[in-house]
Amino acid sequence: MMTITSKAGARLARAAAALDRWHNRGAKGDTTAVALRVEYAEAARQVADELVEQGFHDLDGGEG
């Protein structure tokens, strides 16, 4: 079975929720936004790295 670790998945979910809360408040253009986007990008990369390690990039026969 191929899975995302709970650590990586939970990190991505927390980052997405924090970014959504920030956007829903209507906040724009401050350093908090940059920090939230960086955390989201790093968390997404962690999940993506796990998926590549497990071969998800080749599941449909596509090139990885």
Side-chain angles (χ1 to χ4, degrees), residues 43-57:
R45 182 61 197 214
Q46 183 181 9
V47 170
D49 287 346
E50 287 190 12
L51 294 173
V52 169
E53 283 177 22
Q54 295 181 37
F56 274 75
H57 61 294

Side-chain angles (χ1 to χ4, degrees), residues 55-63:
F56 274 75
H57 61 294
D58 282 331
L59 283 180
D60 64 356
E63 306 229 357

